[in-house]
Structure formats: C-alpha cells, structure tokens
Amino acid sequence: MDAFGEVDVPDPTDWLGTPLAALVPVENAFRCHVCKEFYNSPMITSCNHTFCSICIRRSLAHDSKCPLCRATNQESKLRGNWAMREAVDAFKEARDKILQFARTPIPVAAPNSPKRKAAELEEIDSSYSENKRPRMSTRSSKARGAEATAAMAREEADTPEELNHPPEIDDGLVACPICWIRMLPHHVDRHLDTTCPGSPQPLPVQNHNGPRPFNISQPGPSKPPERLPTLAYSILKDQALRKKLSELGLSTAGSRTMLERRHQEYVTLWNANCDSAKPKKRSELLHDLDVWERTIGSRAPTSSKAANIGAQIKDKDFDGAAWVAKHDTSFKDLIANARRSRGQAENKVVEEDNNRSGEEWGGFE
C-alpha cells in the first residue's frame, strides 16, 4: 500500500516488463474465470471447465449453467480438481521469489581487453593443473563401484518395507493409496476427493492385543463434514423455512425473499468449504455469511412485483371501481382480441367442413 492508500493487487500484468513476460498466460491459467483470483478449492464441471468451488456453486444456484460455455450443469456432478489445486499452490508459493528475481536488474559486464583475457586464461589453466587429480586405475574404479553397490544394498536391507507399502492388516478395512489411513472400501473415493492429506500418515502400532488402526499419540482423522442438501423453497411455508434456518443456527429475521437467499448462501458456503483442503470452522462460515448479508445480501428485494400487486388486490381499502375504470381500455382490447380469435377459428372450421362435403358429393357423381 502506498502513501495514497492504493493497494497493490497481484495480477498477471506484474510479469510485463520483465524477462519472464511469457508467464502472463501461465498465471491466467491458474486463475478462476469468475472471480479472477487464484483457484480456491478448484472444481471441474461435467463440461470440463474449472472454477473455484464457491464461484461455480453460486453460479449453478443462479441458473444451473456453466459460466463459460453455458452448458447445463448440476452441482452434484462437480468433482475436485486435485492436480490443479497442487499446481496453483506450488505457483503461489514460488511467485514472489520468481517475480523478485525477474525484476532484479542484471549487471552488464564491461568488455575485457586482450591482455586481461589472456591473464584470466592463465589463471584458469594454473588452477586446473593444481586441482587436477591423477588418473585412477581401472582396478580402483571397479573397487569403488563394488563398494558403492554394497553400501546401497545395505541401505535397502536396513530400510523397512513399511516405509514404501502400507501394512497388511486383516480387519475388513482397506488403506488409502496415498495417506494409508484405513477405512471401508466404499469410502475411499470420497476420502480422496475431500479429506486426504496427500502424504503417508504414521503407521499403526503393534501390541499384544493385535494391530490398532492409529497411533495412541496422534488422534485419528476427524469425520469429514457432510454437504447440505438444497431445498425447494416453493413448497416450503414460512414457518417451515424459519425452522430450517433455526436448526442451522441462522437468523430468522427478514422477508421471505431474504430468508431464502440467506439459507441458499449458507448452503453454498458450507458445501464449498467441504471441498477445501483446509476447511474453515463453523464460526468463520457464519462470519462470512454475515459479511455477505451486510454487503451483497442487503440488496435482496423485500418482495417481488407480483407480490406487491397481489397485496394491493387483497387490501380491504382497495378501490375496485377505480381500478376497473383505469384499465377499462385494456380490458376491452383483450375482449375484442379474444372474440376475433374465436370468430376466425369458427370460420376456419366451417370452411373445412364445406370443403370436405364438396369432395364427398363429387365422389358420388
């Protein structure tokens, strides 16, 4: 941030003007097409496009279409893009150092004179002759190779197989191929997409009672959070919707439209958090929801236009005669159009009957 309060936001244009300007499209490939930030819990759609989890879930909640190709998509078909997540994390970690190196000016050496060049060559030759090692015999090379092979064999013999393969335990469970945590077979795919830490975990501890799935000194993996289902708000009454919000610990204040948007945004935040490698706490999600409600959520309309018209018609003080007089011309136009359409349809039916009758009589002749 400079003296005028401007914030330096990192973006791909930082590479322009440096020798590494070719990294501009590379960084663009690591940024979401919706928020233009680095992918946060990237998810891939059924049309093979990648977005941040929160961005694509909000977009699908709006119109159920991909923001890029406008193909119809479903939230249940989203899958975690682990390869993109690892690439983005590695690029973000190295970006500042690479950019600093690219912006560092390279000193230009002055051209050397012939005398100086000859002196440098002499120094190189002298240092080479001093550091030059005597030729080794073929026998000594073979001996050193044999010793190196024997040392490698000893290291392999000393290395336990447990470091390369998970232990075989007959407990009805299977080990994750990445972190070796044991679980039921049908939980492996979901574990790989959500809670796998990406590296082998401590091995099971053997005791006289048999193998145990986890070490005593380290607690077992926490249960992954379950995603919240979406609701069909059109079939829920106000009381039922408020009950759903109350069960989630959310506020039940506001209009019907605000209640629906609040619940929908919390479900989106929660499900996107389930896709994250480092999920947030529930208190942090509630804070994010509060920020959304005070900024974007406050723009939600209190009621729709149709609801306003319905409220006016249901009002006891509604002047029906004035309403009819105001819209009398429109009513007459609608009635005239309806009668005209009906008359045209009847004339068409009569003409078809006459034509059919004439064809039948012509056949008898």
Side-chain angles (χ1 to χ4, degrees):
M1 182 180 295
D2 57 15
F4 297 97
E6 296 180 359
V7 180
D8 184 15
V9 179
D11 63 86
T13 59
D14 293 340
W15 302 103
L16 298 178
T18 68
L20 301 179
L23 288 179
V24 172
V26 176
E27 182 167 334
N28 280 325
F30 290 152
R31 290 180 177 268
C32 176
H33 294 277
V34 177
C35 65
K36 304 303 180 182
E37 297 290 342
F38 283 112
Y39 286 119
N40 183 12
S41 303
M43 305 294 289
I44 188 169
T45 63
S46 58
C47 54
N48 297 324
H49 290 133
T50 302
F51 305 93
C52 297
S53 179
I54 187 68
C55 294
I56 186 60
R57 291 181 184 277
R58 283 175 175 167
S59 179
L60 294 181
H62 176 65
D63 59 0
S64 300
K65 291 184 179 180
C66 172
L68 277 181
C69 64
R70 307 305 296 167
T72 303
N73 276 269
Q74 297 179 4
E75 188 175 349
S76 59
K77 294 183 179 180
L78 297 177
R79 294 292 179 269
N81 195 338
W82 280 74
M84 179 61 74
R85 176 186 297 179
E86 294 176 357
V88 170
D89 291 343
F91 183 82
K92 288 169 61 179
E93 185 176 354
R95 184 182 187 276
D96 293 339
K97 296 181 181 179
I98 299 176
L99 186 60
Q100 183 180 0
F101 174 78
R103 289 175 173 175
T104 303
I106 301 175
V108 179
N112 296 330
S113 62
K115 295 182 178 180
R116 184 177 180 182
K117 187 174 183 181
E120 291 178 352
L121 291 176
E122 291 179 359
E123 292 179 0
I124 294 175
D125 292 339
S126 61
S127 61
Y128 175 76
S129 60
E130 294 176 357
N131 298 328
K132 187 175 180 180
R133 301 175 63 184
R135 172 182 282 182
M136 299 177 64
S137 63
T138 306
R139 183 175 180 180
S140 61
S141 299
K142 290 182 179 180
R144 291 187 62 189
E147 293 178 358
T149 304
M152 293 174 62
R154 286 194 299 270
E155 292 179 358
E156 292 179 356
D158 296 338
T159 303
E161 296 183 358
E162 295 178 350
L163 298 179
N164 298 323
H165 302 284
E168 296 293 337
I169 303 175
D170 187 12
D171 56 356
L173 304 177
V174 297
C176 171
I178 298 178
C179 64
W180 301 354
I181 295 177
R182 304 188 66 79
M183 64 193 71
L184 294 176
H186 61 275
H187 288 166
V188 175
D189 291 339
R190 181 176 180 182
H191 167 75
L192 289 172
D193 291 338
T194 55
T195 60
C196 182
S199 60
Q201 300 300 299
L203 298 176
V205 179
Q206 300 283 345
N207 59 8
H208 62 280
N209 294 327
R212 289 178 296 178
F214 302 103
N215 196 334
I216 297 177
S217 60
Q218 180 170 346
S222 58
K223 183 179 179 181
E226 297 183 359
R227 291 179 172 83
L228 297 176
T230 57
L231 299 179
Y233 300 108
S234 59
I235 63 175
L236 281 179
K237 296 183 179 180
D238 291 353
Q239 184 177 0
L241 180 57
R242 294 180 189 276
K243 183 178 180 182
K244 293 286 186 181
L245 291 169
S246 179
E247 292 175 354
L248 295 174
L250 306 179
S251 173
T252 58
S255 63
R256 167 70 186 219
T257 305
M258 193 64 217
L259 295 179
E260 293 179 2
R261 292 200 60 184
R262 182 183 299 133
H263 183 273
Q264 185 179 17
E265 179 64 17
Y266 182 76
V267 170
T268 302
L269 290 173
W270 179 275
N271 292 341
N273 188 53
C274 295
D275 301 326
S276 177
K278 298 178 180 179
K280 298 181 180 179
K281 298 180 180 179
R282 184 174 178 276
S283 58
E284 296 176 346
L285 295 180
L286 292 176
H287 174 72
D288 294 343
L289 179 65
D290 182 63
V291 172
W292 169 86
E293 190 164 342
R294 287 187 285 106
T295 54
I296 303 175
S298 58
R299 304 173 189 171
T302 56
S303 58
S304 62
K305 182 178 179 181
N308 289 333
I309 296 176
Q312 293 177 9
I313 295 175
K314 293 180 181 179
D315 190 359
K316 295 180 180 180
D317 298 332
F318 175 69
D319 190 355
W323 177 275
V324 173
K326 180 180 180 180
H327 300 280
D328 183 60
T329 304
S330 300
F331 292 152
K332 290 181 179 179
D333 292 340
L334 290 174
I335 294 172
N337 292 333
R339 288 176 177 175
R340 188 182 306 108
S341 300
R342 182 178 179 181
Q344 292 176 356
E346 291 177 352
N347 294 334
K348 186 176 181 180
V349 172
V350 172
E351 291 178 359
E352 292 178 353
D353 292 341
N354 293 337
N355 293 335
R356 192 179 301 108
S357 301
E359 292 177 357
E360 292 177 355
W361 285 105
F364 285 112
E365 294 177 359

mmCIF file of all heavy atoms in Angstrom, residues 234-252:
data_model
loop_
_atom_site.group_PDB
_atom_site.id
_atom_site.type_symbol
_atom_site.label_atom_id
_atom_site.label_comp_id
_atom_site.label_asym_id
_atom_site.label_seq_id
_atom_site.Cartn_x
_atom_site.Cartn_y
_atom_site.Cartn_z
ATOM 1 N N SER A 234 -40.166 -23.284 -3.044
ATOM 2 C CA SER A 234 -41.543 -23.011 -3.467
ATOM 3 C C SER A 234 -42.564 -23.853 -2.712
ATOM 4 O O SER A 234 -43.734 -23.476 -2.620
ATOM 5 C CB SER A 234 -41.681 -23.256 -4.972
ATOM 6 O OG SER A 234 -41.331 -24.596 -5.295
ATOM 7 N N ILE A 235 -42.128 -25.000 -2.177
ATOM 8 C CA ILE A 235 -43.076 -25.875 -1.479
ATOM 9 C C ILE A 235 -42.956 -25.744 0.038
ATOM 10 O O ILE A 235 -43.638 -26.478 0.765
ATOM 11 C CB ILE A 235 -42.869 -27.347 -1.887
ATOM 12 C CG1 ILE A 235 -41.470 -27.832 -1.478
ATOM 13 C CG2 ILE A 235 -43.074 -27.527 -3.379
ATOM 14 C CD1 ILE A 235 -41.249 -29.313 -1.746
ATOM 15 N N LEU A 236 -42.093 -24.852 0.497
ATOM 16 C CA LEU A 236 -41.909 -24.659 1.937
ATOM 17 C C LEU A 236 -42.692 -23.435 2.392
ATOM 18 O O LEU A 236 -42.610 -22.364 1.778
ATOM 19 C CB LEU A 236 -40.428 -24.469 2.276
ATOM 20 C CG LEU A 236 -39.544 -25.707 2.333
ATOM 21 C CD1 LEU A 236 -38.114 -25.295 2.649
ATOM 22 C CD2 LEU A 236 -40.033 -26.700 3.368
ATOM 23 N N LYS A 237 -43.427 -23.597 3.458
ATOM 24 C CA LYS A 237 -44.115 -22.456 4.054
ATOM 25 C C LYS A 237 -43.132 -21.642 4.890
ATOM 26 O O LYS A 237 -42.026 -22.102 5.204
ATOM 27 C CB LYS A 237 -45.290 -22.933 4.910
ATOM 28 C CG LYS A 237 -46.384 -23.634 4.112
ATOM 29 C CD LYS A 237 -47.545 -24.024 5.003
ATOM 30 C CE LYS A 237 -48.654 -24.708 4.202
ATOM 31 N NZ LYS A 237 -49.801 -25.102 5.071
ATOM 32 N N ASP A 238 -43.538 -20.455 5.253
ATOM 33 C CA ASP A 238 -42.645 -19.571 6.014
ATOM 34 C C ASP A 238 -42.206 -20.199 7.324
ATOM 35 O O ASP A 238 -41.031 -20.117 7.715
ATOM 36 C CB ASP A 238 -43.342 -18.236 6.295
ATOM 37 C CG ASP A 238 -43.541 -17.416 5.036
ATOM 38 O OD1 ASP A 238 -43.016 -17.844 3.984
ATOM 39 O OD2 ASP A 238 -44.219 -16.375 5.100
ATOM 40 N N GLN A 239 -43.133 -20.868 8.010
ATOM 41 C CA GLN A 239 -42.799 -21.467 9.300
ATOM 42 C C GLN A 239 -41.776 -22.585 9.132
ATOM 43 O O GLN A 239 -40.833 -22.710 9.922
ATOM 44 C CB GLN A 239 -44.069 -21.995 9.969
ATOM 45 C CG GLN A 239 -43.836 -22.545 11.373
ATOM 46 C CD GLN A 239 -45.134 -22.994 12.036
ATOM 47 O OE1 GLN A 239 -46.207 -22.890 11.435
ATOM 48 N NE2 GLN A 239 -45.028 -23.484 13.252
ATOM 49 N N ALA A 240 -41.949 -23.403 8.086
ATOM 50 C CA ALA A 240 -41.004 -24.498 7.848
ATOM 51 C C ALA A 240 -39.629 -23.961 7.465
ATOM 52 O O ALA A 240 -38.594 -24.494 7.896
ATOM 53 C CB ALA A 240 -41.541 -25.418 6.755
ATOM 54 N N LEU A 241 -39.584 -22.895 6.655
ATOM 55 C CA LEU A 241 -38.301 -22.311 6.261
ATOM 56 C C LEU A 241 -37.583 -21.706 7.465
ATOM 57 O O LEU A 241 -36.371 -21.854 7.618
ATOM 58 C CB LEU A 241 -38.522 -21.261 5.179
ATOM 59 C CG LEU A 241 -37.276 -20.552 4.651
ATOM 60 C CD1 LEU A 241 -36.276 -21.558 4.106
ATOM 61 C CD2 LEU A 241 -37.653 -19.544 3.573
ATOM 62 N N ARG A 242 -38.325 -21.030 8.328
ATOM 63 C CA ARG A 242 -37.707 -20.462 9.527
ATOM 64 C C ARG A 242 -37.168 -21.567 10.443
ATOM 65 O O ARG A 242 -36.143 -21.404 11.100
ATOM 66 C CB ARG A 242 -38.714 -19.596 10.275
ATOM 67 C CG ARG A 242 -39.128 -18.349 9.497
ATOM 68 C CD ARG A 242 -40.137 -17.522 10.279
ATOM 69 N NE ARG A 242 -40.700 -16.458 9.460
ATOM 70 C CZ ARG A 242 -40.135 -15.277 9.265
ATOM 71 N NH1 ARG A 242 -38.978 -15.013 9.858
ATOM 72 N NH2 ARG A 242 -40.709 -14.362 8.501
ATOM 73 N N LYS A 243 -37.853 -22.698 10.469
ATOM 74 C CA LYS A 243 -37.382 -23.826 11.285
ATOM 75 C C LYS A 243 -36.061 -24.364 10.740
ATOM 76 O O LYS A 243 -35.147 -24.700 11.507
ATOM 77 C CB LYS A 243 -38.444 -24.923 11.308
ATOM 78 C CG LYS A 243 -38.070 -26.103 12.181
ATOM 79 C CD LYS A 243 -39.175 -27.147 12.204
ATOM 80 C CE LYS A 243 -38.779 -28.330 13.083
ATOM 81 N NZ LYS A 243 -39.840 -29.377 13.085
ATOM 82 N N LYS A 244 -35.951 -24.441 9.410
ATOM 83 C CA LYS A 244 -34.702 -24.898 8.799
ATOM 84 C C LYS A 244 -33.549 -23.955 9.143
ATOM 85 O O LYS A 244 -32.445 -24.401 9.477
ATOM 86 C CB LYS A 244 -34.871 -24.974 7.280
ATOM 87 C CG LYS A 244 -35.839 -26.044 6.794
ATOM 88 C CD LYS A 244 -35.252 -27.423 6.926
ATOM 89 C CE LYS A 244 -36.174 -28.459 6.313
ATOM 90 N NZ LYS A 244 -35.626 -29.846 6.457
ATOM 91 N N LEU A 245 -33.811 -22.669 9.083
ATOM 92 C CA LEU A 245 -32.773 -21.693 9.431
ATOM 93 C C LEU A 245 -32.394 -21.790 10.902
ATOM 94 O O LEU A 245 -31.214 -21.690 11.265
ATOM 95 C CB LEU A 245 -33.259 -20.281 9.106
ATOM 96 C CG LEU A 245 -33.418 -19.936 7.625
ATOM 97 C CD1 LEU A 245 -34.164 -18.622 7.457
ATOM 98 C CD2 LEU A 245 -32.055 -19.848 6.955
ATOM 99 N N SER A 246 -33.385 -21.987 11.746
ATOM 100 C CA SER A 246 -33.113 -22.093 13.176
ATOM 101 C C SER A 246 -32.278 -23.330 13.490
ATOM 102 O O SER A 246 -31.401 -23.293 14.360
ATOM 103 C CB SER A 246 -34.436 -22.127 13.950
ATOM 104 O OG SER A 246 -34.211 -22.247 15.335
ATOM 105 N N GLU A 247 -32.532 -24.431 12.792
ATOM 106 C CA GLU A 247 -31.741 -25.650 13.012
ATOM 107 C C GLU A 247 -30.277 -25.458 12.639
ATOM 108 O O GLU A 247 -29.393 -26.093 13.219
ATOM 109 C CB GLU A 247 -32.354 -26.796 12.200
ATOM 110 C CG GLU A 247 -33.715 -27.259 12.693
ATOM 111 C CD GLU A 247 -34.329 -28.296 11.789
ATOM 112 O OE1 GLU A 247 -33.731 -28.567 10.701
ATOM 113 O OE2 GLU A 247 -35.396 -28.853 12.127
ATOM 114 N N LEU A 248 -30.019 -24.590 11.657
ATOM 115 C CA LEU A 248 -28.643 -24.315 11.249
ATOM 116 C C LEU A 248 -28.003 -23.212 12.073
ATOM 117 O O LEU A 248 -26.836 -22.860 11.847
ATOM 118 C CB LEU A 248 -28.611 -23.928 9.772
ATOM 119 C CG LEU A 248 -29.035 -25.008 8.776
ATOM 120 C CD1 LEU A 248 -29.096 -24.447 7.366
ATOM 121 C CD2 LEU A 248 -28.097 -26.201 8.834
ATOM 122 N N GLY A 249 -28.746 -22.635 13.018
ATOM 123 C CA GLY A 249 -28.218 -21.565 13.842
ATOM 124 C C GLY A 249 -28.169 -20.232 13.129
ATOM 125 O O GLY A 249 -27.355 -19.373 13.480
ATOM 126 N N LEU A 250 -29.049 -20.031 12.130
ATOM 127 C CA LEU A 250 -29.069 -18.797 11.360
ATOM 128 C C LEU A 250 -30.225 -17.912 11.805
ATOM 129 O O LEU A 250 -31.184 -18.379 12.421
ATOM 130 C CB LEU A 250 -29.199 -19.100 9.866
ATOM 131 C CG LEU A 250 -28.160 -20.052 9.275
ATOM 132 C CD1 LEU A 250 -28.426 -20.280 7.800
ATOM 133 C CD2 LEU A 250 -26.749 -19.514 9.486
ATOM 134 N N SER A 251 -30.139 -16.647 11.466
ATOM 135 C CA SER A 251 -31.178 -15.692 11.830
ATOM 136 C C SER A 251 -32.460 -15.970 11.048
ATOM 137 O O SER A 251 -32.419 -16.366 9.879
ATOM 138 C CB SER A 251 -30.691 -14.270 11.543
ATOM 139 O OG SER A 251 -31.735 -13.333 11.727
ATOM 140 N N THR A 252 -33.597 -15.772 11.698
ATOM 141 C CA THR A 252 -34.896 -15.964 11.052
ATOM 142 C C THR A 252 -35.606 -14.635 10.811
ATOM 143 O O THR A 252 -36.815 -14.604 10.584
ATOM 144 C CB THR A 252 -35.782 -16.874 11.914
ATOM 145 O OG1 THR A 252 -35.932 -16.283 13.220
ATOM 146 C CG2 THR A 252 -35.172 -18.255 12.049
#
